[in-house]
Amino acid sequence: MLDVGDEAPEFELQNQYGETVKRSDFEGQRLVVYFYPRANTEGCTTEACGFNDALSQLADRDAAVVGISDDPVDDIADFAADYDLEFDLLSDEFGEVATLYDSYGEKHMFGNTFDGVFRNTYVVGPDGRIEAVYEGVSPDGHADEVLADLEPADVTH
């Protein structure tokens, strides 16, 4: 896993609209980069909808969100449309970016072994360095967990 303080690897991937999105597009603000295994599956839908619901609160903390999987653009386009997702989903079909973020490799499921995306999340700071790392996350409530960690330390009521 990348560690807090590490330089976040640059990436350049296509989103659900076929547009190119780069990590450096978000310099000067926080970026939540979450990796998910497969579009339109129960856990990934739960996680994506959680981040979608938290978008305005994340924006209040100057944070944007991108979700990355090894699904092709057509699949993430359908996924984004089905759930009215208002943030970029990015297609990393060969797992190259996920590999840079230690979020791709051998998985075991139902007696099969295959390469796939691990459910990890990174918060990249305005300076391009990793601020927080979440490994092997549970999709339910994960967006709220990230949001809580981004709360200002000094809140006055």
Side-chain angles (χ1 to χ4, degrees):
M1 292 295 297
L2 296 170
D3 291 320
V4 171
D6 287 350
E7 181 75 24
E10 180 60 80
F11 57 76
E12 186 173 314
L13 297 170
Q14 285 190 318
N15 68 9
Q16 64 266 41
Y17 308 110
E19 302 165 340
T20 299
V21 175
K22 299 182 286 189
R23 185 196 56 78
S24 57
D25 293 342
F26 299 93
E27 282 182 10
Q29 71 177 123
R30 285 178 165 146
L31 179 63
V32 176
V33 180
Y34 82 93
F35 292 88
Y36 64 97
R38 187 72 50 229
N40 271 321
T41 58
E42 184 178 348
C44 296
T45 299
T46 296
E47 188 173 24
C49 289
F51 277 115
N52 205 54
D53 292 346
L55 281 179
S56 66
Q57 292 171 288
L58 287 164
D60 289 345
R61 290 159 179 81
D62 201 25
V65 177
V66 296
I68 300 176
S69 74
D70 59 358
D71 294 305
V73 171
D74 288 347
D75 288 358
I76 62 174
D78 291 343
F79 183 40
D82 288 349
Y83 295 97
D84 296 320
L85 301 178
E86 299 176 17
F87 59 91
D88 285 321
L89 296 178
L90 305 178
S91 174
D92 181 24
E93 281 196 73
F94 302 105
E96 294 166 347
V97 171
T99 298
L100 292 174
Y101 281 80
D102 298 322
S103 297
Y104 192 84
E106 189 173 278
K107 298 174 77 169
H108 306 279
M109 188 181 304
F110 306 119
N112 296 315
T113 301
F114 57 95
D115 285 340
V117 177
F118 304 135
R119 196 181 303 278
N120 297 330
T121 300
Y122 295 89
V123 177
V124 180
D127 61 356
R129 297 200 170 276
I130 303 292
E131 282 188 357
V133 176
Y134 304 84
E135 185 176 6
V137 303
S138 172
D140 192 25
H142 179 54
D144 292 333
E145 175 186 20
V146 172
L147 191 61
D149 288 348
L150 295 179
E151 286 279 359
D154 185 12
V155 178
T156 308
H157 294 282

